[in-house]
Amino acid sequence: MKKSVKILWITVLGVMGIFILMLLLINFRIIGNMPSMETLENPRAALASEVIAEDGTILGKYYQVDRSSSDYNEISKNVINALIATEDVRFYDHSGIDPYGTMAIPFYLAIGKKRGSSTITQQLALNLQADNNGTLRASNIIKRGFQKMQEWLIAIKLERNFTKQEIVTLYLNTVPFGDNVYGIENGARTFFSKDAGHLSIEEAATLIAMLKGTNLYNPRRNPVIARDRRNTVIELMQKNNFITEAEANAAKSNPIVLRYNKIDHNKGLAPYFREVLRDELKAWCKDHRKADGAEYNLYRDGLKIYTTINPRMQMYAEEAVDHHLKDLQKIFSQQSNIKSGSVWKNWQQYIDRYMKESDRYKAMKDDEISDEEITKAFNTPTKMKVFSWRSYTEPDLNEIDTVMTPIDSIKYMRAILQAGFMAMNPESGEVKAWVGGPDFRYFKNDHVMKTRRQVGSTFKPFLYCFAIMNGMSPNTVLPNEPVTFPKEHWTLTHNSEGGVGGSITMAGALAQSLNLVSAYLIKQLGARAVADFAKNKIGFTSDIPPYPSICLGTPEISLYEMLRAYTMFPARGIISKPIYIIRIEDRNGNILQTFAPEKKEVINETESYTMVKMMQGVTGPHGTAARLRFRYNITGEVAGKTGTTNDNTDGWFLGYTPQLLAGAWVGCENNFLHFATTGNGQGAATGLPIWAYFFQKVYADKSLKIDEKASFAIPASIENGYAPFQDNIPPAAEATDQGNGSADEYYDVNKLEEEANKEMKEKEKEKAPAQPAQTPKAVLPPKKDN
């Protein structure tokens, strides 16, 4: 044998030996990161967790990559056929590696052509590696060769452990379709707003065409190129006898008709709810473990979170909030101190704070720009996008291009009115709608659960309820006279609108929200006893200080907590904690946890029904919410309470029917930004219209089965003995909603400790016996600015 031939054989055999050795080392996981058999038998592609509404529709997702999963029988045959015709025509004939395609590679390279040889199974192997290890297709030829050997081994193992149907399904569940969308189900929903099982020939071909280049052949970005590639896929389907020539011609003649619907955290229904839910689910994942002991991952484990949110009610709630805020903002923006910017005259410290919290400021500091240059830049007109009301049905229209200084943009955006709205079933506690603000893209603060504000007169029903529990009745006549609290050195001389004098039944006083009567009641009942009832019986977690001023609604409480407490009125004395998660399932449909409402009895059914009847007076002809009837044409039985806080800072309305409880809050992020007049700023003008718009739509939608003619059930214990009561309100127009006074009418709670410390020092200095400290006046909790 010639020496050259011998060297050739030694080289060939040596290369083959090294190749086989490498395969063995990789296979037995001595080198590289070959997945274990257990991993291959249970492949876990990263799946987005889905938030699912009451009717089964998807509200939103939490994901690192946006992927959904489907079973084989849930995928259109058109998709399967398009994939095989385009990517691997011998898919059903090989065992993971296509020998013909592999052997042909050198010949194509010799003539200068590139040809892909990876089978569907090999591509799946690469996708699974990318999911498990973050591995991408290597660009280095040596690394890619090593990666290719891993693909071959994994492909063979996949073929041994899975059927062809399972392999093609796994593949379609792992492939990308651009726009950070993964999986055929999600691709179908995103680009065509339908499930994967109903894709037509041309739609299936469009999606499969994208696999060759998710950006290049994205029909949203490059419609002409995408159509040409789609037609190539259709031709391959015809060539390989998956469709007829007539079907191919018909499909190619159709344009690409997109129904693009990409769900992201800023858009879609209930974005504020989904963000609050995200925080809760993160905590849940930390407290719950998978079978292998690892924590659940909200972004990769494909959890399914079934919620109580009703999509139609949610849509109506968002439209109601936007409808009213759009109109109300016009009035607020025309207010002289808002329009001129003079309202900021004494609040420069907040402007400086918001400037330093902005992304623009932080970026400039990172670039080591001087403070002088930053200040100059913030006072220089700049092109920017800002929020501006244009439509309450098309949120995308509420973003405009403008030119203003960054400082002015801060003032402008802080003066946008905020709102919170929630609707729930008072019996079951199920939350049906949740709106945390006007637009999640620009305003991230949730005003349902995360924000606490003074509640004004919406607190009064708890005071009146406590009075009922202590022997009073709706017909009890109370004085509408000045009230003095000697220990607190405080006298309430008149109601907020200036009225004083005479007497009125308790029912009439609640309907007209008279502050003097509330002050009289808390003096008779005791501030400490009322505060104890609110904290320990009703169960408020917010601070309820035992001072007389709580009768006017000075405590700061969230809308979520207020609605929780209000459930005791329509639900026969039983408080139901709002519940919004029904169950959590894993990716395979196994139930991980179910959720049940937390209930407790606070008052008896007689007391609750009495409160319902009294609170119906609020929406009566002379109550503070009378406009609910004459302006918004809400008929049927409705009970509720308006609320307004000092200086018209916060406007509230909480109302309920026999089937549904809902509440709204309106105000600005900063307390010093508020309406100048009670006519515009009272709860009846700010919170109530949102409630009314929502119920108008709910009543009109018969599929929701919320009956406008439903009535509050009379408890069996009083069915034959309930006596109607008189509100003895003299004929007049709608009552003005009461505020809780001005801040200077109350003792500043921040001064309590200062005065106590000062007094202690003086006593020590004098070395004299301690003297009784002066009891403070009624306390107004300090207002918090954001």
Side-chain angles (χ1 to χ4, degrees):
M1 183 180 293
K2 292 183 179 181
K3 186 176 181 179
S4 59
V5 175
K6 185 177 181 180
I7 292 172
L8 178 62
W9 276 107
I10 291 173
T11 302
V12 171
L13 293 173
V15 170
M16 290 180 63
I18 293 172
F19 179 73
I20 293 170
L21 178 63
M22 289 292 292
L23 288 176
L24 291 172
L25 291 174
I26 294 170
N27 183 60
F28 292 107
R29 306 172 68 193
I30 296 173
I31 61 174
N33 51 8
M34 182 76 172
S36 66
M37 277 301 300
E38 182 181 357
T39 301
L40 292 177
E41 290 172 358
N42 300 280
R44 295 185 61 81
L47 286 181
S49 292
E50 297 178 340
V51 180
I52 301 171
E54 181 182 55
D55 65 353
T57 59
I58 296 176
L59 287 175
K61 301 179 181 182
Y62 307 118
Y63 55 82
Q64 289 172 331
V65 293
D66 189 2
R67 174 184 285 128
S68 295
S69 183
S70 297
D71 293 331
Y72 182 82
N73 58 7
E74 295 174 331
I75 302 173
S76 168
K77 289 293 183 183
N78 293 322
V79 175
I80 306 293
N81 295 338
L83 175 66
I84 292 173
T86 308
E87 298 290 330
D88 191 357
V89 292
R90 287 181 289 273
F91 174 69
Y92 292 108
D93 300 323
H94 62 65
S95 298
I97 301 173
D98 182 5
Y100 298 103
T102 303
M103 287 188 293
I105 291 177
F107 298 101
Y108 279 92
L109 290 175
I111 61 175
K113 290 186 177 181
K114 291 182 67 176
R115 182 183 188 276
S117 66
S118 293
T119 64
I120 288 174
T121 314
Q122 286 176 258
Q123 292 179 53
L124 171 61
L126 181 63
N127 291 343
L128 290 178
Q129 287 185 83
D131 270 313
N132 290 315
N133 307 312
T135 306
L136 299 174
R137 187 183 298 269
S139 56
N140 181 283
I141 189 170
I142 297 175
K143 289 183 178 179
R144 179 62 187 139
F146 186 82
Q147 195 178 62
K148 197 72 176 177
M149 287 189 282
Q150 283 186 310
E151 286 177 29
W152 286 337
L153 290 169
I154 294 172
I156 292 170
K157 291 185 177 183
L158 287 171
E159 291 278 351
R160 288 178 179 175
N161 288 275
F162 294 96
T163 66
K164 290 290 187 179
Q165 287 186 355
E166 290 172 329
I167 289 171
V168 77
T169 302
L170 270 174
Y171 175 81
L172 286 169
N173 282 333
T174 59
V175 290
F177 288 98
D179 296 352
N180 198 29
V181 170
Y182 288 73
I184 187 63
E185 181 67 24
N186 212 22
R189 289 178 182 173
T190 299
F191 288 93
F192 298 108
S193 294
K194 60 171 61 175
D195 59 68
H198 292 90
L199 291 170
S200 65
I201 293 173
E202 57 267 29
E203 290 168 342
T206 300
L207 291 174
I208 296 303
M210 293 173 67
L211 300 182
K212 189 174 180 66
T214 54
N215 290 324
L216 179 62
Y217 299 113
N218 187 320
R220 185 175 63 87
R221 299 180 180 182
N222 302 305
V224 176
I225 298 175
R227 184 198 60 202
D228 293 341
R229 176 61 187 169
R230 178 205 68 175
N231 290 347
T232 299
V233 173
I234 293 172
E235 289 168 0
L236 289 170
M237 293 174 72
Q238 178 194 344
K239 177 183 176 181
N240 290 285
N241 300 316
F242 288 114
I243 57 176
T244 65
E245 183 179 356
E247 289 174 324
N249 292 335
K252 286 193 293 183
S253 67
N254 291 328
I256 295 178
V257 180
L258 293 181
R259 294 180 178 85
Y260 192 83
N261 182 29
K262 179 72 166 69
I263 297 176
D264 65 38
H265 69 284
N266 281 324
K267 295 182 179 180
L269 285 176
Y272 289 94
F273 168 74
R274 286 185 274 123
E275 195 61 24
V276 171
L277 185 62
R278 183 200 301 266
D279 293 338
E280 188 167 326
L281 290 171
K282 283 181 180 178
W284 184 93
C285 287
K286 286 186 177 181
D287 294 338
H288 292 78
R289 303 279 173 172
K290 293 181 279 190
D292 61 2
E295 293 179 1
Y296 280 98
N297 187 316
L298 180 62
Y299 303 103
R300 293 180 61 85
D301 284 336
L303 300 176
K304 296 184 184 299
I305 302 97
Y306 290 86
T307 73
T308 62
I309 297 295
N310 181 291
R312 300 186 74 82
M313 287 194 190
Q314 180 66 33
M315 179 177 65
Y316 298 151
E318 292 180 8
E319 288 182 359
V321 168
D322 292 353
H323 185 176
H324 186 52
L325 288 187
K326 179 177 179 291
D327 295 336
L328 200 61
Q329 188 68 50
K330 293 178 184 177
I331 299 171
F332 189 62
S333 296
Q334 290 302 312
Q335 194 169 287
S336 60
N337 63 342
I338 301 296
K339 189 174 183 179
S340 67
S342 62
V343 69
W344 291 94
K345 182 179 179 181
N346 299 319
W347 305 99
Q348 183 62 41
Q349 70 271 30
Y350 285 106
I351 296 176
D352 294 339
R353 170 185 159 189
Y354 301 141
M355 179 184 75
K356 292 177 180 178
E357 290 175 350
S358 69
D359 292 337
R360 184 189 300 269
Y361 179 90
K362 292 174 182 176
M364 295 178 79
K365 291 296 285 186
D366 289 342
D367 292 337
E368 299 182 353
I369 298 175
S370 68
D371 290 342
E372 292 77 12
E373 287 296 314
I374 292 176
T375 300
K376 181 180 178 181
F378 268 80
N379 285 279
T380 301
T382 307
K383 290 182 178 180
M384 63 179 68
K385 292 182 183 293
V386 297
F387 175 85
S388 180
W389 284 113
R390 291 291 182 272
S391 171
Y392 65 85
T393 56
E394 298 292 337
D396 289 341
L397 299 179
N398 297 327
E399 182 179 71
I400 63 168
D401 295 303
T402 188
V403 176
M404 66 172 69
T405 69
I407 285 294
D408 285 341
S409 74
I410 290 172
K411 297 175 182 177
Y412 169 81
M413 294 296 280
R414 299 301 294 191
I416 298 293
L417 289 168
Q418 303 294 305
F421 180 86
M422 191 177 97
M424 63 182 291
N425 182 320
E427 296 273 358
S428 67
E430 293 183 352
V431 176
K432 299 302 179 183
W434 181 308
V435 185
D439 192 304
F440 190 72
R441 293 173 299 173
Y442 285 93
F443 309 102
K444 302 298 187 185
N445 287 350
D446 171 70
H447 296 296
V448 172
M449 180 183 283
K450 300 296 183 70
T451 300
R452 293 183 177 185
R453 298 294 283 256
Q454 288 186 357
V455 296
S457 296
T458 57
F459 190 82
K460 289 178 181 176
F462 308 125
L463 171 67
Y464 280 70
C465 181
F466 192 61
I468 294 292
M469 294 168 65
N470 283 274
M472 296 186 185
S473 79
N475 287 321
T476 300
V477 178
L478 303 173
N480 185 33
E481 301 286 351
V483 182
T484 299
F485 299 86
K487 292 183 179 180
E488 287 78 12
H489 300 281
W490 174 50
T491 298
L492 188 64
T493 59
H494 55 78
N495 292 303
S496 290
E497 88 294 352
V500 62
S503 59
I504 192 170
T505 63
M506 196 160 70
L510 181 62
Q512 294 206 322
S513 198
L514 300 179
N515 284 350
L516 289 176
V517 177
S518 295
Y520 174 83
L521 280 174
I522 203 166
K523 183 174 183 179
Q524 302 305 308
L525 299 168
R528 188 168 297 277
V530 174
D532 181 72
F533 172 65
K535 288 285 290 183
N536 300 319
K537 193 74 171 175
I538 296 175
F540 281 113
T541 60
S542 302
D543 185 34
I544 311 291
Y547 298 112
S549 60
I550 64 174
C551 73
L552 306 183
T554 55
E556 295 179 336
I557 306 172
S558 70
L559 174 61
Y560 175 89
E561 268 206 286
M562 287 297 290
L563 288 172
R564 171 194 168 274
Y566 265 53
T567 59
M568 70 181 183
F569 301 129
R572 297 180 295 280
I574 296 174
I575 279 183
S576 295
K577 181 181 178 180
I579 180 175
Y580 39 82
I581 305 177
I582 299 172
R583 69 183 184 276
I584 300 175
E585 295 180 357
D586 67 12
R587 64 172 65 197
N588 298 315
N590 300 311
I591 297 176
L592 302 177
Q593 186 174 350
T594 58
F595 297 80
E598 298 177 18
K599 296 174 176 285
K600 72 170 184 176
E601 186 174 3
V602 177
I603 55 179
N604 64 46
E605 61 180 8
T606 301
E607 292 161 345
S608 68
Y609 186 73
T610 300
M611 285 305 303
V612 167
K613 299 306 290 183
M614 287 178 63
M615 293 173 75
Q616 282 185 277
V618 175
T619 66
H622 315 299
T624 58
R627 70 184 65 186
L628 200 65
R629 310 293 193 179
F630 68 77
R631 183 173 298 178
Y632 298 102
N633 299 315
I634 299 295
T635 61
E637 297 195 9
V638 179
K641 188 69 190 76
T642 54
T644 311
T645 64
N646 57 293
D647 300 324
N648 308 303
T649 302
D650 306 281
W652 296 78
F653 181 70
L654 307 181
Y656 52 90
T657 69
Q659 297 170 285
L660 203 59
L661 164 67
W665 165 87
V666 174
C668 282
E669 295 279 10
N670 298 92
N671 286 321
F672 55 84
L673 298 171
H674 52 75
F675 281 98
T677 66
T678 301
N680 290 328
Q682 63 177 318
T686 58
L688 181 147
I690 294 174
W691 194 99
Y693 285 139
F694 172 74
F695 271 83
Q696 284 176 349
K697 289 180 176 290
V698 167
Y699 282 142
D701 188 340
K702 301 307 178 184
S703 69
L704 296 175
K705 298 180 180 179
I706 303 298
D707 186 2
E708 194 169 10
K709 297 180 180 179
S711 58
F712 293 103
I714 301 176
S717 59
I718 60 173
E719 189 169 0
N720 297 319
Y722 187 78
F725 55 82
Q726 299 294 322
D727 58 23
N728 77 329
I729 301 174
E734 177 187 41
T736 301
D737 190 29
Q738 301 289 292
N740 55 8
S742 299
D744 57 9
E745 294 183 45
Y746 302 92
Y747 190 89
D748 185 352
V749 73
N750 291 325
K751 294 180 181 177
L752 288 172
E753 189 173 349
E754 290 179 19
E755 292 199 358
N757 291 336
K758 181 179 179 181
E759 189 173 354
M760 183 66 71
K761 289 179 181 179
E762 290 176 353
K763 291 173 184 175
E764 290 177 353
K765 184 177 180 180
E766 296 172 2
K767 295 183 179 180
Q771 299 296 320
Q774 185 183 40
T775 305
K777 294 191 292 183
V779 174
L780 178 71
K783 293 183 290 186
K784 298 180 179 67
D785 279 301
N786 296 314

